[in-house]
Every structure is written in structure tokens, then in C-alpha cells.
Amino acid sequence: MCWDNGAMLRVPRGRLVGRDAELGQLLALLDAAAAGQPVVALVSGDAGVGKTRLVTELADRARAQGFTVLAGHCAELGDAVPYLPLVDALRDATTGPSPGGALRGALLDALAARPVLSRLLPDRNDSQPAGGDLPGLVKQQLFGAVLGLLAELAIASPVLLILEDLHWADQSTRDLVTFLSRMLHSDRLAVVATYRTDDMHRRHPLRPLVAELLRLPSVSPVELGPLDPSAMAEHLATLSERRLDATAIGSMITRAEGNAYYAEELLAAAEGPATPAAGSQLPAGLADLLLARMERLSQSAQQVLRTAAVTGRQVDDELVKRASGLDEASYEAAIREAVAHQLLVPYGDQGYSFRHALLREAVYADLLPGERTRLHARLAELLADDQRMADCPGTAAELAHHYLASHDITGAFTASVLAGQEAERLAAPAEAHEHYDQALSLWDRVSEPEKLAGIGRGKLALKSALSAADGGDLARAAGQLRRLLGYLGEDADPVLVCRVHERLAYFLNDIGEEAAAVAAAQAAVDALPADPPRWEHAAALATHARALLSLPHQGPAAARAEQAIKAAKAASAPWVEADALVTLGLINERAGNIAAAIDLFTTAHRQAAQAKVLGVELRAAFQLARVQLEQGDLAASSRTAHQGTARAQAAGLGLSRYGIDLQYLHYLAHFADGDWDHAQEIADGFTVRVTSVAEARLSAMALFLSVARGSASTDERRRWFEPMLARDEFAEYISRGLLAEHAYWQGDTAAAVAQALATIKAATDVEGGHFGPPVIRVAAIGLGAVADQAALARAGGDLDRVACLLAQAGELLHIAREGAAYRQRPGFAPGVEARGWLAKAEAEALRASGDNDPAAWRAVVAAFGPAVLAGGDTVPTGGHPLAPDGPEPPGYVYETARARWRLAAALAEAGDRAGARAEWLLAVRVADELGAAPLRAALADLGRRARIGDAARPGDDGQAPAGLAWASRGPLAGLTGRELDVLRLLATGQSNKEIGAELFISPKTASVHVSNILAKL
């Protein structure tokens, strides 16, 4: 329900007492949300302790502060009705009797822009967007649409979303709460969820979710304990219609044990006509107390309450009237009586609600078994109406619930199939899977099940497995498909057999069972003849080609992909053809045919977009943007990734598999081309506080910027994602490689080497024990640290240490060269970035050996410079902020600047100070514009030591060392800047040889400076 439209539960309310601390905590969270810091609060407590009263007060306060307040309840039907609180909020806000027309208009506009959400509403749009065969796509679309809807509403005013009774939530609602808790970043949104602690048994599905969410700093627990006696006394005195003596209040307080609702019921019973005394004769148990209140009503009113209890806490007026068996006049009198005694309360325009869930539970539990069965059967009879099922989402799930409770197996079977279909349409795959599984469990207990279900057993089992996969449980889906194949006989429909094998292969490939995936895909191809052409056969060929990519030789995969393309054309299945084109593009890329691969990815992307098969479109966009990035076509990569990200986000798939991948490719393209402000905007969406492997990968990607800029967020991100590294080699590879750079910039070369070696191990694990292109970068980073160590050891005369370090440098160089060769893929050609890192590894290896050759560093600068395409043209800049004058693009801006830093040092060592200064100035300009603080500090140090530039004023010729203002006073005032440099190193215990190596001068010159210093002092 939407509390903004006036449909609030009317509970006895005075001033909220005894909850000042809890309310204050929630109001502080509202303030944070209003300031753009989204928050989630989990309000917990026993039934009747005052959770609803607290959030009702919070809603009033929030509304007074200008919040848009939306709220909904979960129902006692367990996992039967997906997204029920969200459905309630949206339905009531858009179709209820709301006085807030502006809110309704804003919601309707936002919903119109997100068709997937319209499925949740009575006037839904049944169109199913084509998503391809990516598991979970529709559910991800819905989650993304909910996030976009709330974010859009929050632009106009902060939003408070209240979800009550989360202990009854379905799996999809629990997943949505998890999604919102993790993915909200800067929206003005507060989510408040309530749940009962006394219902949280050890295996309750909410229990692990609460534990997981409370790890997030944005999630706050608000625990409601019993009211203390003074607060309880004030509460009762406020509610009482007459003056209560101390004995009566004391008795109620003692018996209520701090439970506000229990106390209210004791008060109501004590003030009722049947019990004028203080309540000494009242039943001891709460259930008995509640039933005693009901028994004071007429028989007709009791019958209405019993019928209402079977429907659930929220009572449909027309449904209860028809199920109760009363005539209209008797029913109206009975319902008025129940409302007058505060057992039922009006609930918007939908009907009524029980005053408290405990009351409904007590009435339901008191029903006789036969009475309960007959009422469930009557409600099922009334719900089995085609128009009602079309108008009210969730009706099929309720119908299945009532049929099961009335022991009508045939009805339960049919309704379970319908409920599964409706859950699919509502993008609730976990609930669809449960309903389909329920129908499968009843299959043998009904006559003519295939006729009743309108679907064969095999196809129903396939739908159940696909729903499990869409819910993210690929292993369960694969297991169910394997069992399905076990009972499909020889006379089974070959189309079904093909489809089952094909989906099994797809899922097995995704969970890493590559050999089994190849076998299953081959079985899918064999199950269905090529003639007549069918899209299922073409899809089997395409999936087989995808599975064959895992083999060392790509010939079989290429042949299968070509067959899939031909079969897809014959079957008029352009989306299957596009999928096969992507696979063929990957094969060409691995063979070194980069131009052909780009053409294939481009064609697949265009074709999938025209066919409106979003899953294939995003896959093609990702592969195209990735290869463009690797080939140095940064502008094209950024454009492709940006368009793909926008397409994914518009469909609510920004956080799907390829939606995330496209985001980080967009980010990496701008990190590479030097548009770091744009990259930072993207990285701000990569959550710091990770709780899953996917989030750890994104957070690790954000380290590119935070390490390069020396941001304090580096260590915070590290603390959060480090526990995830043992679970995912890719996240470990990304993070450890960047942490190696971080350690290097911190001056800890030993840690940098250790992290680089750990990264190489993670990369080889991903590649099945082989050296691939990912090792080149980290090997070069490790070589840089080893070269620094070797220079210090050589200057100190530690020849044994030098020999050891040279051996380590040789090993790292070998790894880099092997990664570039990529011997398990003959024909592989490294991209622009890989060639740049290989050139850097070669230059660092020379530096480690004592030969810091400027020519080697010029090769690195050239490799990371502007990309050259196949025709010899450079990539256009597109007006890039760091593009130099003229048509030449910026290339890999940061890496080029780092190479110029090393080139400047090499030139200074060779005595070419003019050349060194020119390179130094170019690097300083880039470091300043990027905000690359660690590089800028290294350049400042080099400028001072090599006397090629002032750290503070790189454009001037002054040579005064920065940060040494103290030298202008006292006994050191007579020393020159160079002598101060020498004195600083001398004070650390360094020899003349070590001082010379540090300051790019000979040991003899260093000795002269030392003599001059001693003479002056």
C-alpha cells in the first residue's frame, strides 16, 4: 500500500512513547538520505512490540519533511506471491484514491519509461523483451527498472520505501532488498524493512540475508525490545477511555511483558462490556485473549472474521462477502461490527485488514480442520475466475495456495502451473521454479495431467530448470536437466531433447564443466536433423561452437560456427546467427585476424540489435569494445562501451553480466585515453563495500584510478574485496596487479614484487596453467621494482644481491615474453597495450642489468603512443582534452607519461640533460592534468636529483630543491642546492657511489661535494 495516498492502517495512536531512541536513529537515517547518502534500516522485534507503530510515525515525519513515502506489506502466503510489497506500493500509488496527483503522475511517467515494471500492475503490458539466452536477464531488467524508478523519483524529492513483514517475503523480494542495499550509491533514498525476530527460526530464509546485509555500512539495525514499565504505563493511560487505577495498570504491564499490542488487547478486554473489572478473570495466553475479544461479537461477525482469516491479513471485501455465505444486509452489519470493535480496520479501497497479524493468526489457528478446508475450497472456487486472474497479479499463486490447503490436488496442480507462468511474467524466477516443481510433484497424482497443464511433463520440467537458471542457480538447473534426460524415452519429441541438451551445455559451460558442455552440445546437435530448418537446431550448433572454444585447436569451433550461421539463415533466426558470428569473431581474434574479428563483432552487434535480442546484442557489444580497447582504438572502444552501457541501463540491465563488463570497458577506455574525470564518474558507481565476487571485480577495477591518483580509497577497497580473492582468480588478478603498483609507489619494492608474482599465479590459473597476455603487464611492474632493488644493490657493492636480482629479472622477462607469444594459441598477435607493456618489460630488464638505455624507453613511449590502424592511419582524437596539437591522438596517456619519466632518467644518466628535461616536462604536464599524484611526486624527485626541473615550477629554470626552505636559515644557509642534496643522502649513511647513483653524478663528483660541505661547515 502507498501511505502517501491516505490508505494508512488506522491503529489507536497517541504520542509515540518509549521509542525515542529508535525513532531518533531512523530520523537521522532520513537526514542522511535527504543529503544524498542512501540508507537501509532493518527494524526487528517480536510480534506486537510496535514495529508498525514506529514506522507509521516515521512515515508521518518523513512526509512532513517532503519525502515521497511508499509502503507495502508482505503476506502470510510464504513464497507464493512474488514482489507483493512492491506490487502493493505501485498499484496503490497509481490506481488508489490518492490525493497526491503529482506523485501519481510522476510514477506513471516513470513506469511508462520502464515497461518491465508494468507487468506488476493490473493494466500490465504482457510484451516480453527479447533477452536471448542469458540466464536471469528478465529479473535483472526488473531490478534495474526498480532502481531507476526510485532514483528518478528521488530527483524530485527524497524517497522513503517501507517494506513491512519481511519475514513473510518471497525469494524475489528478498533478492530485490539485497540488490537495493548494495547498489544504491548517491540517491536520496531510505529503505526501511521490518521483520519479526520471534519467527526467525534457525533455518528461516531471511536469517542469512539479514546477516549478510548487516555487513554493509549503509545498512543499520534497529532492534525493538520490550517497552519499559514507565513507557507502558504512559501508553496505556493515553489509550484508555477512562481513568485506570494503579492496580489495573500494574496488572496489565506485568502480563504484557513489554509487548505494546498485548497491552492494548488487555486494555480493550478490560474496558469491554463483558469484563468491567481490571482483568483478573482474563485468559492467560495472548491467543485466548484475542479470541475472547472475538467471541463478544455476533455469530455473523465471527463468521466474517473466520472467513477473512483464511484470505490473509489483507481482506478483499467482495471476496469475503461471497465466501462467508451471508446475505448482503447481514454481511454489512457484521463487517461494521468487526470494524467498530477494532478487529478489522479499513485498508484503502481494497477492503479491510486485521488490526494486527497476531489477531488473524489466532482466528485462523482456532478454525476446526473441516471448517478450514471448506473455507479454503470456497475461496479457491471464487478465485478461479479468468477476469480476476487477468486483473490481479498474484491471483494464480493464491489459488494454488487455497487448493493445496483444501486438499484439491487437481486444482492445486493446474493452479501451480498457472502460478509458475505468472511468476515468469513477473520476472520472479525463483517463485516460478517452486510453482513448476510443485506441479511436477503432483503430476502422477492427477488424471490427464498433460491435458490439465496444457504442456507435456518434459516441457514443464524444462521450464522449471530454466527458471532455476534465471534465478541464478545454474548448478541446480543443470542437475534438473540431467534428471530430465534420464526419463525422456526414445519416443520423446526430438525438438525437446535438442533443447534440453542445448541448455544443459550452455549452463555447464558457464559453471566451468567444459568437457561435459562439449558432450551435451554435441548431443543437442545430434538430436535434431538439419532438415527441415529449425532455430533450435541452429541454436544447438551455435552453443556447440561456443563450447568448442575451450579446445586448444579452434578448427572444430570455426566449422561449427559456420554451420550455425548457415542453419540460422535457413531458419530465419537472425539472433542465433549473431551469436554464432560473435563466436566466429573470437576464433578469428585468437588466430590473429584482428580486422576480421572486428568486422564480425560489428556485424553481430548490428544484427542482434535489429532482431531486438538484447542478450546477444550486449555480448557482441562487449567483445567489440574489448578488442577495440586492446588494439588501441580507444575512441571507438569508449563509444561502443558507452552505447552498450546505455542500452543495458535503459533496459534495466546495467548490473547484468555484460552490463557490468561494458561499464568497466568504458571506464578502462577513458583511463587509458586520459579522460580521468569521466573515468572517475564511472568508477563512482563501483561499490566499495563488496559482498559478492561480481562486486569485488568491479571494486578491483576502480583501483586503476585510485592507485594512479594516490587515493585514500585504495586501502578501504582492499579491506573489503580481499576476502573475496580466494574465491575468484579474475578479481585476484586485477586487484593484486594494481596493489603491486600501489606498493611500488609507496616505496615498498619487496611487496610490489610479491604482489606481482601472486598476480602472475592468478593469471596463469585463469589460463589453465599457461602464460597468456595478462601476465605481461604485471611482469613489467615486477621488473620495475626489481630494477630499483638492483640499482641500490649495485651502488652499494652487494654483487651477490645483484646476481640474485638479475636472475629474478630474467625469470620475469621470460614470463612477459611467453605471455606475448601465447604459445597455446598459434597466430595470436598481441594488441597495442600488450606490446607497450612488453616493451616496458624489456626496458626494465635492461635497467636491472645496469644498462638504462634511452632507446629502450623511446620504444616504450612509441608503443604506448597513438594507435595505428590496419590502413596506417592514426585513430582520431574526437576533441580529447589531453590531445596534443595537430591530428595525432593521445594514445595511452598515463602509460606514455610514465615511460617519459623513465626516459628522462635514462637521458639524465647518459648526460643529456636537455633531452631529459624535455621528456620530464611532457610527463609533468600530463601528471598534473591527470592528478596522478604518485607519478608527480616521482617526477619531482627526479627533477631535483637530476637537476632538470623544479618540482614546484617545472617551467622555470630555478634549481632550488622543493621542501627545503629550512636551508635558507642557520648553519646550512651557505650550502648550494646540490650540496644540500648530497648532505641529505650522506646523513642516511650512503656511500659516495650510492650518492652518485641517486643524483646522476659520478662517485668522484660526489666526493668533491662531500669535501666542500665539510669545508663550509
Side-chain angles (χ1 to χ4, degrees):
M1 65 177 177
C2 175
W3 284 353
D4 255 358
N5 67 17
M8 294 176 59
L9 294 180
R10 294 184 177 86
V11 297
R13 288 169 57 186
R15 189 180 72 83
L16 181 67
V17 297
R19 300 298 183 196
D20 291 346
E22 294 87 349
L23 180 60
Q25 183 181 355
L26 289 171
L27 290 174
L29 293 176
L30 285 189
D31 291 341
Q37 181 181 343
V39 294
V40 178
L42 299 179
V43 180
S44 61
D46 289 350
V49 80
K51 301 182 295 296
T52 294
R53 177 68 184 88
L54 177 63
V55 297
T56 300
E57 182 72 21
L58 179 69
D60 290 344
R61 300 285 190 95
R63 194 177 300 104
Q65 294 178 24
F67 273 72
T68 294
V69 183
L70 301 172
H73 281 89
C74 301
E76 302 95 318
L77 295 179
D79 280 352
V81 183
Y83 304 117
L84 183 58
L86 181 63
V87 171
D88 275 352
L90 294 179
R91 182 173 57 212
D92 288 343
T94 55
T95 65
S98 171
L103 170 61
R104 182 187 296 180
L107 271 171
L108 289 174
D109 290 343
L111 288 170
R114 298 169 178 84
V116 69
L117 287 179
S118 66
R119 303 176 186 202
L120 303 176
L121 302 176
D123 55 345
R124 56 188 178 270
N125 175 5
D126 287 324
S127 61
Q128 172 91 5
D133 288 327
L134 294 179
L137 208 61
V138 177
K139 180 177 179 180
Q140 292 164 354
Q141 279 185 293
L142 188 138
F143 282 13
V146 172
L147 181 62
L149 171 73
L150 295 174
E152 185 173 327
L153 291 176
I155 294 173
S157 63
V159 175
L160 170 61
L161 174 63
I162 297 176
L163 305 174
E164 287 213 65
D165 299 325
L166 208 59
H167 51 280
W168 286 322
D170 57 281
Q171 178 65 50
S172 293
T173 296
R174 293 195 296 269
D175 291 345
L176 178 61
V177 172
T178 303
F179 174 84
L180 292 176
S181 299
R182 291 178 180 172
M183 298 306 167
L184 294 169
H185 295 295
S186 57
D187 303 291
R188 297 191 298 166
L189 176 65
V191 179
V192 176
T194 70
Y195 66 93
R196 286 188 193 172
T197 50
D198 48 344
D199 271 9
M200 294 277 283
H201 54 78
R202 187 170 61 86
R203 301 184 66 181
H204 194 288
L206 186 62
R207 196 179 189 94
L209 172 61
V210 169
E212 178 182 344
L213 293 182
L214 289 178
R215 291 186 64 238
L216 301 173
S218 59
V219 179
S220 301
V222 180
E223 300 173 1
L224 270 62
L227 285 174
D228 61 49
S230 61
M232 187 70 81
E234 184 180 354
H235 181 54
L236 291 171
T238 301
L239 294 178
S240 178
E241 296 178 355
R242 58 184 174 82
R243 184 179 180 84
L244 295 175
D245 59 52
T247 303
I249 290 181
S251 174
M252 294 176 198
I253 291 173
T254 300
R255 297 177 63 189
E257 296 181 340
N259 188 296
Y261 178 63
Y262 198 170
E264 291 169 14
E265 293 302 316
L266 287 166
L267 177 62
E271 294 186 336
T275 53
S280 60
Q281 303 302 315
L282 291 176
L286 177 56
D288 290 338
L289 174 61
L290 296 173
L291 292 173
R293 286 194 62 198
M294 186 185 77
E295 288 167 0
R296 296 203 295 264
L297 304 184
S298 67
Q299 288 300 314
S300 295
Q302 290 185 43
Q303 178 62 22
V304 166
L305 286 174
R306 292 188 182 102
T307 306
V310 176
T311 68
R313 185 179 177 189
Q314 295 175 13
V315 180
D316 184 297
D317 185 52
E318 183 64 25
L319 188 65
V320 172
K321 180 176 71 174
R322 295 173 64 187
S324 67
L326 299 174
D327 60 68
E328 187 163 350
S330 299
Y331 174 77
E332 293 294 345
I335 202 77
R336 282 183 175 277
E337 186 178 357
V339 171
H341 283 77
Q342 283 286 302
L343 297 174
L344 294 179
V345 292
Y347 180 65
D349 64 344
Q350 304 298 318
Y352 304 91
S353 177
F354 276 91
R355 163 72 175 80
H356 197 282
L358 287 173
L359 174 59
R360 180 257 161 194
E361 292 166 24
V363 175
Y364 184 81
D366 191 55
L367 291 171
L368 296 173
E371 184 181 21
R372 183 182 302 163
T373 299
R374 286 189 295 273
L375 283 171
H376 277 294
R378 176 58 177 154
L379 285 166
E381 179 185 347
L382 294 171
L383 287 170
D385 176 82
D386 291 341
Q387 188 60 47
R388 183 182 183 89
M389 294 182 70
D391 291 342
C392 301
T395 298
E398 290 185 68
L399 184 59
H401 167 75
H402 289 301
Y403 272 135
L404 283 171
S406 65
H407 313 300
D408 183 344
I409 302 303
T410 301
F413 170 77
T414 306
S416 293
V417 174
L418 293 174
Q421 293 169 347
E422 183 168 64
E424 272 192 279
R425 184 182 57 74
L426 294 175
E431 289 68 35
H433 176 68
E434 289 187 13
H435 289 307
Y436 287 143
D437 257 13
Q438 179 68 57
L440 288 168
S441 71
L442 300 175
W443 187 276
D444 293 326
R445 299 175 62 185
V446 299
S447 300
E448 299 184 299
E450 187 167 339
K451 182 178 180 180
L452 289 171
I455 188 174
R457 187 173 189 173
K459 290 183 178 179
L460 182 62
L462 174 61
K463 289 176 74 69
S464 179
L466 295 182
S467 295
D470 284 342
D473 197 343
L474 295 182
R476 186 172 186 176
Q480 193 164 359
L481 290 175
R482 280 170 164 156
R483 290 193 299 275
L484 171 57
L485 288 170
Y487 68 75
L488 283 177
E490 293 183 0
D491 58 342
D493 179 5
V495 176
L496 173 63
V497 175
C498 173
R499 187 63 173 158
V500 172
H501 277 295
E502 187 272 329
R503 287 291 82 194
L504 176 61
Y506 201 97
F507 300 152
L508 289 173
N509 200 75
D510 278 353
I511 61 179
E513 295 186 32
E514 294 171 344
V518 171
Q522 179 66 62
V525 174
D526 296 340
L528 199 61
D531 194 30
R534 299 185 65 99
W535 73 265
E536 291 90 350
H537 179 70
L541 291 168
T543 297
H544 193 207
R546 179 176 179 261
L548 289 170
L549 287 173
S550 62
L551 300 181
H553 300 291
Q554 301 295 286
R560 268 294 188 244
E562 294 285 4
Q563 288 178 328
I565 292 169
K566 183 178 179 181
K569 287 180 177 177
S572 299
W575 68 94
V576 179
E577 181 184 354
D579 199 38
L581 285 171
V582 175
T583 300
L584 195 59
L586 289 169
I587 295 167
N588 274 271
E589 181 190 359
R590 293 176 180 185
N593 303 322
I594 305 301
I598 291 175
D599 286 344
L600 287 164
F601 292 148
T602 303
T603 302
H605 183 233
R606 181 180 63 252
Q607 197 160 303
Q610 291 172 347
K612 298 182 179 179
V613 183
L614 191 55
V616 181
E617 180 185 345
L618 295 181
R619 182 188 180 212
F622 166 74
Q623 299 296 354
L624 178 58
R626 177 191 57 77
V627 74
Q628 288 170 334
L629 177 65
E630 292 173 358
Q631 295 306 311
D633 194 350
L634 304 181
S637 177
S638 171
R639 183 168 56 251
T640 302
H642 172 67
Q643 291 171 350
T645 299
R647 182 79 176 91
Q649 290 177 340
L653 292 173
L655 295 168
S656 67
R657 172 185 169 188
Y658 286 121
I660 289 174
D661 291 346
L662 285 163
Q663 280 187 72
Y664 78 66
L665 283 178
H666 189 202
Y667 161 76
L668 288 178
H670 285 308
F671 175 81
D673 71 16
D675 193 355
W676 280 14
D677 289 341
H678 194 163
Q680 187 64 61
E681 292 177 9
I682 302 170
D684 287 342
F686 299 168
T687 180
V688 175
R689 301 168 179 88
V690 305
T691 59
S692 69
V693 166
E695 292 170 355
R697 289 183 174 189
L698 272 183
S699 194
M701 283 289 175
L703 288 181
F704 276 96
L705 264 181
S706 63
V707 168
R709 280 184 159 169
S711 170
S713 67
T714 300
D715 290 331
E716 184 183 6
R717 286 188 182 275
R718 177 179 186 169
R719 285 194 299 272
W720 277 93
F721 64 62
E722 208 157 30
M724 300 286 174
L725 301 188
R727 295 165 51 186
D728 185 67
E729 290 94 349
F730 184 76
E732 184 178 20
Y733 160 71
I734 293 295
S735 61
R736 291 202 185 281
L738 292 165
L739 290 174
E741 286 195 35
H742 182 58
Y744 182 83
W745 288 129
Q746 299 295 312
D748 191 347
T749 55
V753 173
Q755 290 283 17
L757 293 174
T759 309
I760 291 169
K761 181 182 182 305
T764 53
D765 287 344
V766 172
E767 291 288 338
H770 301 289
F771 292 129
V775 303
I776 306 173
R777 182 179 191 275
V778 288
I781 294 168
L783 274 165
V786 170
D788 280 6
Q789 293 174 338
L792 289 173
R794 189 176 291 109
D798 190 345
L799 298 183
D800 291 340
R801 172 71 171 155
V802 171
C804 180
L805 290 168
L806 287 179
Q808 189 173 42
E811 292 175 6
L812 288 169
L813 181 59
H814 171 73
I815 290 171
R817 288 171 174 171
E818 285 296 300
Y822 209 4
R823 300 187 189 281
Q824 61 270 37
R825 290 189 183 170
F828 169 79
V832 171
E833 186 178 16
R835 295 198 298 270
W837 282 105
L838 180 60
K840 185 169 184 174
E842 300 281 0
E844 291 288 15
L846 285 173
R847 188 166 72 90
S849 69
D851 181 15
N852 197 14
D853 186 1
W857 288 108
R858 286 196 177 95
V860 181
V861 171
F864 277 124
V868 179
L869 302 181
D873 297 328
T874 56
V875 182
T877 65
H880 190 279
L882 281 179
D885 294 336
E888 191 172 275
Y892 289 78
V893 173
Y894 178 59
E895 300 308 338
T896 303
R898 287 209 284 186
R900 291 189 188 282
W901 164 52
R902 289 296 194 199
L903 175 57
L907 289 169
E909 286 184 28
D912 184 359
R913 293 190 181 276
R917 177 170 172 76
E919 298 296 336
W920 182 86
L921 286 171
L922 289 171
V924 166
R925 171 181 172 253
V926 171
D928 283 342
E929 294 193 23
L930 294 179
L935 175 60
R936 186 64 177 85
L939 286 164
D941 178 66
L942 172 63
R944 178 182 52 77
R945 290 187 296 110
R947 306 184 77 182
I948 56 176
D950 189 307
R953 300 182 303 279
D956 297 339
D957 291 328
Q959 304 296 330
L964 295 181
W966 54 271
S968 63
R969 302 184 302 273
L972 302 181
L975 300 183
T976 66
R978 198 48 153 182
E979 289 168 348
L980 286 170
D981 290 337
V982 172
L983 179 60
R984 177 177 57 82
L985 297 174
L986 188 65
T988 65
Q990 295 192 38
S991 66
N992 289 342
K993 187 176 181 181
E994 291 170 324
I995 293 171
E998 180 79 5
L999 298 178
F1000 301 92
I1001 57 179
S1002 68
K1004 183 176 181 180
T1005 301
S1007 176
V1008 171
H1009 281 306
V1010 171
S1011 298
N1012 290 338
I1013 291 168
L1014 293 175
K1016 288 182 179 181
L1017 295 179

